[in-house]
Amino acid sequence: MGEDRTGQIAVLFVSKRTADDDDAGYAEAATAMDVLAAQQPGYRGIESQRGDAGVGITISYWADDASAIAWREHPEHAAIRARGRERWYAWYEVIVTRVERGYRWRRA
């Protein structure tokens, strides 16, 4: 029912969108980053949600620290991050952690 993420690096990106009305540009950039991230060595997946108040969380999973750092340093990712600071985000926080254990449940 899903990959065991034990030992992976989880990068939590918690953010609040600005009142900027560039939803199309934001969505395009988010999709491009999802596609680009999935092409990177060590990529293990992504989950993302955003609430009505504009606060969201994206968790990307990586095989190891080196893979997560390489993604942070990727030139296209850095450029979109700068654009986000200029236009799309009121604030954000990044938390990096190693997954120690986890489980899933799903209604049948």
Side-chain angles (χ1 to χ4, degrees):
M1 177 169 59
E3 182 177 352
D4 178 7
R5 298 204 180 279
T6 302
Q8 293 181 8
I9 299 301
V11 178
L12 293 77
F13 178 75
V14 184
S15 64
K16 170 124 172 102
R17 288 280 313 271
T18 62
D20 183 283
D21 62 357
D22 185 25
D23 290 339
Y26 180 80
E28 182 180 326
T31 299
M33 290 301 97
D34 287 352
V35 169
L36 184 62
Q39 297 170 0
Q40 303 311 302
Y43 174 83
R44 295 293 181 262
I46 195 166
E47 299 173 28
S48 189
Q49 292 291 319
R50 185 163 303 279
D52 292 338
V55 176
I57 183 168
T58 298
I59 307 170
S60 61
Y61 297 96
W62 302 90
D64 50 38
D65 279 326
S67 299
I69 291 168
W71 171 239
R72 180 190 69 199
E73 301 300 322
H74 190 286
E76 289 178 61
H77 184 209
I80 290 295
R81 187 170 53 245
R83 180 119 192 255
R85 288 176 181 159
E86 291 171 4
R87 183 160 195 178
W88 297 314
Y89 296 118
W91 57 262
Y92 68 76
E93 178 179 11
V94 177
I95 302 161
V96 181
T97 188
R98 183 175 309 281
V99 177
E100 295 296 327
R101 65 185 165 276
Y103 64 91
R104 292 177 185 250
W105 178 86
R106 181 175 296 163
R107 184 171 306 280

